[in-house]
Amino acid sequence: MLQLPSELTIAQVEEYRIEIQPIIDENETITIDDSKLARIDTIGVQFILAVVTYISAQGKTLEYQSTSKVLKESVNQLGINDAIIMQHLPN
């Protein structure tokens, strides 16, 4: 499971990328949980888009567990209508 940190900003993206790479590589089904996410910036949103795209390109299954609206609100605020991520975000 990929547990998003409480903050995913430019300062955390590289460290988090290193942390999640083995999880993505070693599992066929990847679950993203954003229940702890309280703050995300544009770089964090771009990173999540890249992760979702990468998981999809690898032919892996992506599941999204969401209890926080921070990511969806940020995606909407930025005007991103990327079908890949939007299909995994709750309505």
Side-chain angles (χ1 to χ4, degrees):
M1 175 179 298
L2 300 182
Q3 175 70 58
L4 297 183
S6 61
E7 291 191 11
L8 189 56
T9 65
I10 192 169
Q12 293 88 20
V13 164
E14 182 59 21
E15 180 180 331
Y16 189 64
R17 184 196 65 77
I18 292 167
E19 180 182 323
I20 69 169
Q21 189 66 52
I23 296 168
I24 294 171
D25 291 344
E26 296 168 7
N27 294 281
E28 289 303 313
T29 299
I30 312 299
T31 302
I32 297 177
D33 180 354
D34 73 355
S35 61
K36 294 182 180 178
L37 187 66
R39 182 170 177 257
I40 189 166
D41 66 5
T42 303
I43 300 299
V45 172
Q46 290 174 331
F47 174 74
I48 295 300
L49 287 169
V51 168
V52 169
T53 302
Y54 177 77
I55 291 169
S56 179
Q58 297 298 310
K60 299 184 181 220
T61 302
L62 176 64
E63 297 176 352
Y64 200 86
Q65 294 182 356
S66 178
T67 57
S68 170
K69 294 184 180 184
V70 174
L71 179 58
K72 186 173 182 182
E73 289 172 358
S74 295
V75 167
N76 289 335
Q77 187 177 36
L78 291 169
I80 299 170
N81 293 314
D82 189 322
I84 293 173
I85 194 168
M86 295 307 289
Q87 72 182 354
H88 298 288
L89 293 177
N91 294 324

